[in-house]
C-alpha cells in the first residue's frame, strides 16, 4: 500500500490555542470552558478524517516571569489549563473513529493512576486512546504537585523508563480472553489469566492486580516527543507516535533518522512508529485570502506573551534584568526545560550572550512560529515535500484560532491531500491502532522481544 500521512490536531484544554493571544481574535469562540467548544472541534477533525485529537498538558500556569501570575491572568497567557482526559471524554462521546490523545506527566503522577485513567479512556472510547509520555518542565509544576523543585533532565527520563515498565506491566496483566461473564456458571473472569504485577524498582512500587481489563486495541498508543539525545533514546524505546518540532526539511530528516535509529537500537521495528512534525498552517481558499488572515493574526501577540512563555519553558526569570542587557554565560547555563529554545536563540542571533529581547525576537515564542500561509496548493506542497523527503510520517496541526483553523484546514487542505493520494479518504477501522496501521501489542512482548512485540 502507498505510504500515507497521519494527521493529529494539536489542542489545548485552555483559554487559547498554542498561540496565547488567539482568544483575542474576533472569530475565536469565547466559550473554551464548555464541552460544546471541544465537541465542535472533535466533529470537525473527524469530518476531516484526522487520526487523532491531541491535548498537551502542563500542571501550572506560566508565572515564572517576575515570579508572579498577574500578567498571565490579565492577558490570558494560557492561564486556564483544565484536565485534558475529562475534556477528551466529552469529545469521544460525539465521535466514533477519532483517536483521543493526551499528555500526562511521569514526574508528578503515580504509574498505577496513569495506567488506570488511560486504560479507562481506551475502554470508554472503544480503543481510541493515546498517552503522550512527558517528564514535565518547570518548578511551577513541581510546587503545585507537592515538590520544591523540578527534577534534573536526564534523571527524569531514567525515572520515566521505570514508569513505563510499571504502566505497560499493569496493562498486560489482564490477558486477552480473561473475561468470561457467564451468568449461568457465575464466573466473571478467569483468575489464571489475571496476574499481579508486584513491581518493586528503584523509583516505584506498585503491586496490582490492575483493575481495568485490556481494550479492543490492546492498550493505549504511546506518544512521545523527546528532542534531546536522552529524550530521543526514550522516544525510540517507547514511542509509537513521536512528535517533533523541526523547522525545516533538513532538520526534520536528521531528527527522523535519529529517532528511528534509537528505535532500532532498542530492538524495535522503526516502521511501527509515526513521526509527526508540528506545523501551523494558516489557510484559505486562495493564497491571498490566507495572507489576509495572517495579517490579522500577526497583530494579536504582545511582548509579554513571549516573555512569560520563555520564562516558563526555560524555567528562568527573564524579568530579573533589563530587556536589552546581555545574559551572562552562567545565566544561560542555568536554564532548564526546553533547552532547544535557548540553543536556537544562540544560533539564530549569532550572539554568545543574547538579551531577553533577543530571546523574544529569535525564539518566536508567543507568536505564530513558522506558519505555512497559503491556499490548498501551497500548503499541500509543503506538507508533501516534508513527508516524501522522509522528514516525518505525518503532522501535528496547530491552530491559530478555534475552530476556524481546523475548519479551514479540513475544507481546503484535506481534499487536496486526498486528491494527491497522500492522506486516507476514510478510516481503516475503529481503533486508533487500526487507523494508524499499528499492530495490536502482544501482552508482555515489549520486555522480551521488542521487535516482535506486536501481533
Ligand atoms: C507537539 C509537541 C507536544 C508537546 N506536548 C508537551 C506537553 O503537553 N507537556 C510537556 O511537558 N511537554 C510537551 N512537549 C515537550 C516534549 O515532551 C519534550 O520535553 C521537548 O520536546 C524537549 O525534549 P527533551 O525533553 O528531550 O529535552 C511537547 C513537544 C511537542 C513537539
Amino acid at each position: 500500500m502507498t505510504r500515507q500521512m497521519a494527521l493529529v490536531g494539536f489542542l489545548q484544554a485552555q483559554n487559547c490555542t498554542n498561540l496565547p493571544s488567539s482568544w483575542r481574535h474576533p472569530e475565536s469562540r469565547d466559550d473554551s470552558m464548555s464541552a460544546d467548544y471541544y465537541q465542535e472541534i472533535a466533529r470537525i477533525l473527524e469530518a476531516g478524517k484526522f487520526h487523532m485529537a491531541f491535548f498537551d498538558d502542563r500542571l501550572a500556569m506560566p508565572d515564572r516571569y517576575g515570579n508572579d501570575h498577574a500578567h498571565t491572568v490579565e492577558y490570558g497567557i494560557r492561564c486556564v489549563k483544565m484536565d485534558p482526559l475529562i475534556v477528551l471524554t466529552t469529545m469521544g462521546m460525539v465521535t466514533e473513529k477519532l483517536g483521543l490523545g493526551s499528555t500526562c506527566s511521569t514526574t508528578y503522577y503515580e504509574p498505577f493512576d496513569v495506567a488506570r485513567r488511560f486504560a479507562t479512556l481506551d475502554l470508554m472510547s472503544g480503543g481510541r486512546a493515546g498517552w503522550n509520555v512527558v517528564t514535565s518542565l518547570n518548578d511551577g509544576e513541581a510546587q503545585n504537585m507537592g515538590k520544591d523543585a523540578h527534577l534534573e533532565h536526564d534523571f527524569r527520563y531514567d525515572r520515566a523508563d521505570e514508569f513505563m515498565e510499571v504502566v505497560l506491566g499493569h496493562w498486560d496483566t489482564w490477558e486477552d480472553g480473561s473475561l468470561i461473564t457467564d451468568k449461568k456458571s457465575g464466573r466473571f473472569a478467569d483468575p489464571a489469566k489475571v496476574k499481579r504485577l508486584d513491581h518493586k524498582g528503584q523509583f516505584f512500587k506498585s503491586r496490582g492486580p490492575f483493575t481495568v481489563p485490556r481494550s479492543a486495541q490492546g492498550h493505549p498508543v504511546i506518544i512521545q516527543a523527546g528532542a534531546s539525545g536522552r529524550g530521543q533514546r526514550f522516544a525510540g524505546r517507547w514511542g509509537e507516535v513521536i512528535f517533533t518540532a523541526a523547522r525545516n526539511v533538513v532538520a526534520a530528516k536528521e531528527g527522523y533518522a535519529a529517532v528511528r535509529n534509537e528505535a532500532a537500537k532498542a530492538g524495535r521495528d522503526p516502521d511501527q512508529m509515526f513521526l509527526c512534525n508540528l506545523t501551523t498552517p494558516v489557510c484559505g481558499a486562495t493564497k491571498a485570502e490566507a495572507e489576509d488572515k495572517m495579517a490579522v493574526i500577526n497583530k494579536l501577540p504582545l511582548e509579554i506573551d513571549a516573555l512569560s512563555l520563555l520564562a516558563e519553558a526555560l524555567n528562568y526569570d527573564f524579568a530579573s534584568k533589563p530587556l536589552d542587557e546581555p545574559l551572562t554565560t552562567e545565566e544561560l547555563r542555568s536554564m532548564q526545560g526546553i533547552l532547544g529554545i535557548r540553543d536556537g536563540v544562540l544560533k539564530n542571533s549569532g550572539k554568545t550572550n543574547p538579551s531577553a529581547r533577543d530571546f523574544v525576537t529569535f525564539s518566536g515564542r508567543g507568536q505564530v512560529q513558522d506558519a505555512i500561509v497559503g491556499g490548498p496548493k501551497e500548503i499541500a506542497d509543503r506538507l508533501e515535500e516534508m513527508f516524501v523527503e522522509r522528514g516525518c510520517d505525518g503532522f501535528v496541526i496547530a491552530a491559530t484560532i478555534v475552530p476556524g483553523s481546523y475548519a479551514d484546514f479540513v475544507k481546503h487542505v484535506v481534499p487536496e491531500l486526498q486528491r494527491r493520494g497522500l492522506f486516507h479518504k476514510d478510516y481503516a477501522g475503529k481503533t486508533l491502532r487500526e487507523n494508524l496501521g499499528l499492530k495490536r501489542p502482544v501482552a508482555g512482548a515489549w520486555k522480551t522481544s521488542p521487535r516482535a512485540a506486536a501481533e
Side-chain angles (χ1 to χ4, degrees), residues 360-406:
V360 173
T361 309
F362 293 102
S363 71
R365 203 134 178 102
Q367 301 149 47
V368 184
Q369 290 179 50
D370 305 313
I372 312 177
V373 185
K377 181 181 174 329
E378 290 82 23
I379 293 183
D381 282 353
R382 287 281 295 277
L383 301 188
E384 180 168 7
E385 185 196 7
M386 177 84 86
F387 175 72
V388 170
E389 294 277 322
R390 298 249 174 195
C392 63
D393 304 306
F395 297 91
V396 188
I397 303 292
T400 43
I401 54 165
V402 172
S405 296
Y406 299 118

Side-chain angles (χ1 to χ4, degrees), residues 29 52 54 64 67-68 83 90 136 140 150 165 167 176 184 187 190 249 258 264 347 365 405 416:
R29 270 182 74 154
M52 180 166 38
F54 160 74
R64 191 76 176 85
N67 197 22
D68 190 0
D83 185 321
T90 72
S136 292
H150 197 38
E165 290 171 16
V167 170
D176 286 322
K184 272 200 189 129
R187 297 187 79 219
D190 182 349
V249 179
K347 193 169 158 219
R365 203 134 178 102
S405 296
E416 179 61 19

